[in-house]
Amino acid sequence: MRGLLSIMQAHEEIIMKKSGLENIAPALDKYTAGPLADLWKRPDLPLRDRCLVTLAALIAKDQRIGLPSYLVMALENGVTPGEISGMITHLAFYVGWTNALSAIVVTRDVFLRRGVSPDQIPAASPPLLHLDEAAENKRAKSLHQQFGQIAPAMTHYTASVIFRDLWRRPDLSPRDRGLITISALIANGQTAQLPFYLEKARRDGLSDTEAAESVTHLAFYVGWPNALAALSILKQTLKTP
Amino acid sequence: MRGLLSIMQAHEEIIMKKSGLENIAPALDKYTAGPLADLWKRPDLPLRDRCLVTLAALIAKDQRIGLPSYLVMALENGVTPGEISGMITHLAFYVGWTNALSAIVVTRDVFLRRGVSPDQIPAASPPLLHLDEAAENKRAKSLHQQFGQIAPAMTHYTASVIFRDLWRRPDLSPRDRGLITISALIANGQTAQLPFYLEKARRDGLSDTEAAESVTHLAFYVGWPNALAALSILKQTLKTP
Amino acid sequence: MRGLLSIMQAHEEIIMKKSGLENIAPALDKYTAGPLADLWKRPDLPLRDRCLVTLAALIAKDQRIGLPSYLVMALENGVTPGEISGMITHLAFYVGWTNALSAIVVTRDVFLRRGVSPDQIPAASPPLLHLDEAAENKRAKSLHQQFGQIAPAMTHYTASVIFRDLWRRPDLSPRDRGLITISALIANGQTAQLPFYLEKARRDGLSDTEAAESVTHLAFYVGWPNALAALSILKQTLKTP
């Protein structure tokens, strides 16, 4: 299997050899080769999705040290350059513009090294995906009632830029946008908006098993405390708890 | 207008050319030239204040990648070197000493390049601004009641170093201290202390419109989730919601 | 006293000379030589513990800029290379794998420069410390009731890897694991799990005074807002408030 070989090579490169992990912290090396490597092979979340989740977490935390290797791992396991481009653009709005910029700088180098060509990069203004007007109007109305009076610009940008444009871009499926948004929220410990995005992701095709397994995966990349906080929210949003 | 030209040049330098943004993520390039550039021109918050807010967010998040360009933008739009020095000192107490140190290292280079002279840097111990004894005693009493017994050193430092010294330094106006404190709290998702600092900033001359527009500005730099969480708090603190 | 001399030298090196602090922000320089230097001398928390607390905060925040100097300070004040190795391994689970990796890269250089030898590094799989089966079963049962159904892998890893293995490793005492876990939670503003870990640390020998003083120490390194949020939780968990 190309996928698992690539994971092992990436771990080898990222974590073990370069960093001197086996000399400085043999126990962490053991946990990397044991539970962490096992995690990546668990069937409850496809390998490609684990790459998306990990990249979203690293971009959310602005951690550039592992980013090149995980970008390579993503490209070798079914994530396209266009999806990576779309992901960074998407996350700019959820974790801040300068995190996206940091990611762009690293990604440019990886794309150059791998010979990604310009036609693999999504256009600035492609035809947009269908909009569920009813759901969007409901969302807009709710935000308007909350903040329409004190911050009309926020409600305006949220509708016109985020939900009527960004989320409809075809470079990333709505389900994948949900997955990376949830991952970014968990990485930054932002539980307040998780229910909204969990529900939206479910409507867009993310299963409860995939959501729970994403949290389990994130436990290793953003720490147990953020993962446990997310599980509490996830449990509350489940129809059959 | 020098200001807007400088913004465009800074964006050009920071975000577009250097990073390869237009090649890697044309959509993010489009959003940068569109909504983000528009944001900087909105009249509800002066350009100078937008610079303060952005710098505070970057220092709070310890993001050094954009810091040089935004420091230059600040200096070209009415923020003095002394205010930048005062800001970093102030934020040391609100986001941690090592974030301030990171910012100092970057700022030193920018100041050197621009020939900032020693007389533009605020003295270590200047005459302090007037203290509102009544307000400070009220604050001190409240903190003492909460934590005087379990952490007397905290209540001591909070009074003697932060409110009786730092906030009274003349290198930054109390209103600007409020603005950057609020920005740092929002950048780090720390909503618990927002009501206190929003109320204080209001007394020190920050309008509700400026506060709300600061949150809108921050949405782009620290992500929508932190901005929306801040708006909830802001709304609760408004007298006329 | 070797300890205090070393602190002053480290501060000198880290903060004052290298960064140009005295030229860019004389006030911050003053606060560093005043309240911050005083803090390190306060008797309520041993110097060695202050090193652990500071390192945990820097690793939690992924701040590599001060890390080398604080690692040296730790090594010169009673923290062993094995404890540092154990600490990074421990924190991987609490703040994320890539933070630990960042720390490893920096630590490797420090260990090399100081001639740390391989026999000072803890083995991957040493004999483990005694397990309090009753307490662990109670913890496992509680987590299983919460999340056993929606995320069985999380409850599995939490028991088998974290509480039945990691916490029992002899390279760091349970009391010190508690201290660094609490510090990491405070550094990242994660208050939800503080009560559990404060109670556990208390059982493992951390006094309430040491806990409160750790929070006071952290105020300077992770900012006042996170420290005040932690004090609220600490106060609630005290038996005699």
Side-chain angles (χ1 to χ4, degrees):
Chain A
M1 285 186 57
R2 177 69 185 283
L4 290 183
L5 178 65
S6 163
I7 292 171
M8 290 307 118
Q9 285 172 340
H11 275 146
E12 188 93 353
E13 182 198 356
I14 313 170
I15 299 186
M16 297 181 192
K17 286 291 144 46
K18 271 197 204 160
S19 65
L21 183 57
E22 76 277 27
N23 299 321
I24 304 303
L28 188 54
D29 192 28
K30 181 189 77 171
Y31 294 130
T32 303
L36 184 61
D38 288 345
L39 176 78
W40 279 87
K41 298 176 204 159
R42 288 173 51 81
D44 290 347
L45 190 70
L47 185 46
R48 176 189 166 278
D49 288 352
R50 292 186 187 274
C51 291
L52 292 181
V53 166
T54 308
L55 288 176
L58 295 182
I59 295 170
K61 296 178 79 185
D62 199 29
Q63 286 189 319
R64 291 189 291 167
I65 196 166
L67 198 50
S69 300
Y70 285 108
L71 282 168
V72 169
M73 201 199 293
L75 290 168
E76 295 193 347
N77 288 286
V79 180
T80 67
E83 285 170 334
I84 289 172
S85 171
M87 198 173 156
I88 298 172
T89 302
H90 185 94
L91 291 173
F93 292 90
Y94 285 91
V95 302
W97 225 257
T98 48
N99 291 48
L101 173 62
S102 290
I104 288 283
V105 171
V106 173
T107 301
R108 184 188 47 178
D109 290 346
V110 172
F111 280 11
L112 271 176
R113 264 192 287 140
R114 294 180 65 89
V116 169
S117 61
D119 63 295
Q120 293 178 277
I121 302 297
S125 301
L128 299 176
L129 301 178
H130 171 74
L131 177 70
D132 179 343
E133 285 282 355
E136 168 54 12
N137 286 339
K138 188 179 157 213
R139 184 211 58 73
K141 195 177 165 190
S142 161
L143 194 72
H144 180 77
Q145 280 174 344
Q146 280 184 84
F147 304 129
Q149 203 142 20
I150 66 163
M154 271 299 280
T155 60
H156 167 71
Y157 286 130
T158 305
S160 66
V161 185
I162 296 187
F163 287 102
R164 292 188 170 273
D165 187 357
L166 181 72
W167 276 83
R168 296 173 61 198
R169 292 182 53 81
D171 38 54
L172 212 58
S173 73
R175 182 264 192 196
D176 288 349
R177 290 189 188 277
L179 185 64
I180 64 168
T181 305
I182 290 164
S183 299
L185 292 172
I186 295 171
N188 285 337
Q190 293 159 328
T191 51
Q193 301 214 340
L194 266 182
F196 173 82
Y197 286 103
L198 280 168
E199 197 197 316
K200 177 164 172 45
R202 197 174 289 130
R203 284 200 312 270
D204 288 335
L206 191 75
S207 73
D208 289 340
T209 301
E210 289 170 329
E213 185 68 20
S214 298
V215 176
T216 303
H217 187 94
L218 285 166
F220 285 84
Y221 286 94
V222 305
W224 246 248
N226 280 340
L228 290 175
L231 280 185
S232 290
I233 304 290
L234 183 62
K235 190 178 173 184
Q236 290 164 28
T237 65
L238 290 180
K239 297 211 170 68
T240 54
Chain B
M1 286 185 57
R2 178 68 183 284
L4 290 184
L5 178 64
S6 164
I7 293 171
M8 290 307 119
Q9 285 171 340
H11 276 145
E12 188 94 353
E13 183 198 353
I14 313 170
I15 298 186
M16 298 183 192
K17 286 291 144 46
K18 271 198 205 159
S19 64
L21 183 57
E22 75 277 28
N23 299 322
I24 304 303
L28 188 55
D29 192 27
K30 181 188 78 171
Y31 294 131
T32 303
L36 184 62
D38 289 345
L39 177 79
W40 280 87
K41 297 176 204 161
R42 287 174 51 82
D44 290 347
L45 190 71
L47 185 46
R48 176 189 166 277
D49 288 352
R50 291 185 187 274
C51 291
L52 293 180
V53 166
T54 308
L55 288 176
L58 295 182
I59 295 169
K61 295 177 80 184
D62 199 29
Q63 286 189 318
R64 292 190 291 167
I65 195 167
L67 198 50
S69 300
Y70 285 108
L71 282 168
V72 169
M73 202 200 291
L75 290 168
E76 294 194 347
N77 288 287
V79 180
T80 68
E83 286 170 333
I84 288 171
S85 171
M87 197 173 157
I88 297 172
T89 302
H90 184 95
L91 290 174
F93 292 91
Y94 286 91
V95 302
W97 225 256
T98 47
N99 291 47
L101 174 61
S102 290
I104 288 283
V105 172
V106 173
T107 301
R108 185 189 46 178
D109 290 345
V110 171
F111 280 10
L112 271 175
R113 264 192 286 139
R114 295 182 63 91
V116 169
S117 62
D119 64 294
Q120 293 177 276
I121 302 297
S125 302
L128 297 176
L129 302 178
H130 171 75
L131 177 70
D132 180 343
E133 284 283 354
E136 168 53 12
N137 286 339
K138 189 179 157 212
R139 184 210 58 73
K141 196 176 164 191
S142 161
L143 193 71
H144 181 78
Q145 281 175 342
Q146 280 185 83
F147 305 128
Q149 204 141 17
I150 65 162
M154 270 300 281
T155 61
H156 167 71
Y157 287 129
T158 305
S160 66
V161 185
I162 296 188
F163 288 102
R164 291 186 170 274
D165 187 357
L166 181 71
W167 276 83
R168 296 173 60 198
R169 294 182 52 81
D171 38 54
L172 212 58
S173 73
R175 182 263 192 198
D176 288 348
R177 290 188 189 277
L179 185 64
I180 64 168
T181 305
I182 291 165
S183 299
L185 291 172
I186 295 171
N188 285 337
Q190 293 158 328
T191 50
Q193 301 215 341
L194 266 182
F196 173 82
Y197 286 103
L198 280 168
E199 198 197 315
K200 178 163 172 44
R202 198 174 287 132
R203 285 199 313 271
D204 288 334
L206 190 75
S207 73
D208 290 339
T209 301
E210 289 170 330
E213 185 68 19
S214 298
V215 176
T216 302
H217 187 93
L218 285 166
F220 285 85
Y221 285 94
V222 305
W224 246 248
N226 280 339
L228 290 175
L231 280 185
S232 289
I233 304 290
L234 182 61
K235 190 179 174 184
Q236 291 164 26
T237 65
L238 290 180
K239 298 212 168 67
T240 53
Chain C
M1 286 183 56
R2 176 70 185 284
L4 289 185
L5 178 64
S6 164
I7 292 170
M8 290 307 118
Q9 286 171 341
H11 275 146
E12 188 94 353
E13 183 198 352
I14 312 169
I15 299 186
M16 297 182 193
K17 286 292 143 45
K18 270 197 206 161
S19 65
L21 184 57
E22 75 278 27
N23 299 322
I24 304 301
L28 188 55
D29 193 27
K30 182 188 77 171
Y31 294 130
T32 303
L36 184 62
D38 288 346
L39 176 79
W40 279 86
K41 297 175 204 160
R42 288 174 50 83
D44 291 347
L45 189 71
L47 185 45
R48 176 189 165 280
D49 288 352
R50 292 186 187 274
C51 291
L52 292 180
V53 166
T54 308
L55 288 177
L58 295 182
I59 295 170
K61 294 177 79 185
D62 198 29
Q63 286 189 318
R64 293 189 291 166
I65 195 165
L67 198 52
S69 299
Y70 285 107
L71 282 168
V72 169
M73 202 199 292
L75 290 168
E76 295 193 348
N77 287 287
V79 180
T80 67
E83 286 170 334
I84 288 171
S85 171
M87 196 173 158
I88 297 173
T89 301
H90 184 94
L91 290 174
F93 292 91
Y94 286 91
V95 302
W97 226 257
T98 47
N99 291 47
L101 173 62
S102 290
I104 288 284
V105 172
V106 173
T107 302
R108 184 188 48 177
D109 290 346
V110 171
F111 280 11
L112 270 176
R113 265 192 286 139
R114 295 180 65 89
V116 169
S117 62
D119 63 294
Q120 293 177 276
I121 302 297
S125 301
L128 298 176
L129 301 178
H130 171 74
L131 177 70
D132 179 343
E133 285 282 356
E136 168 53 13
N137 287 338
K138 188 179 158 214
R139 185 211 57 73
K141 195 177 166 192
S142 160
L143 194 72
H144 180 77
Q145 280 174 342
Q146 280 185 83
F147 305 128
Q149 204 142 18
I150 65 163
M154 270 299 281
T155 61
H156 167 71
Y157 286 130
T158 306
S160 67
V161 185
I162 296 188
F163 287 102
R164 291 187 170 273
D165 187 357
L166 180 72
W167 275 83
R168 297 172 60 197
R169 293 181 53 81
D171 39 52
L172 212 58
S173 73
R175 181 263 192 198
D176 288 348
R177 289 188 190 276
L179 185 64
I180 64 168
T181 305
I182 290 164
S183 299
L185 292 172
I186 295 172
N188 285 337
Q190 292 158 330
T191 50
Q193 301 215 340
L194 267 182
F196 172 83
Y197 285 104
L198 281 167
E199 198 196 315
K200 176 163 173 44
R202 197 175 288 130
R203 286 200 313 269
D204 288 334
L206 190 75
S207 74
D208 289 341
T209 302
E210 289 170 329
E213 186 67 20
S214 298
V215 177
T216 303
H217 188 94
L218 285 166
F220 285 84
Y221 285 94
V222 305
W224 246 248
N226 280 340
L228 291 175
L231 280 185
S232 289
I233 304 290
L234 183 61
K235 190 179 173 183
Q236 291 164 26
T237 66
L238 290 180
K239 298 212 170 66
T240 54

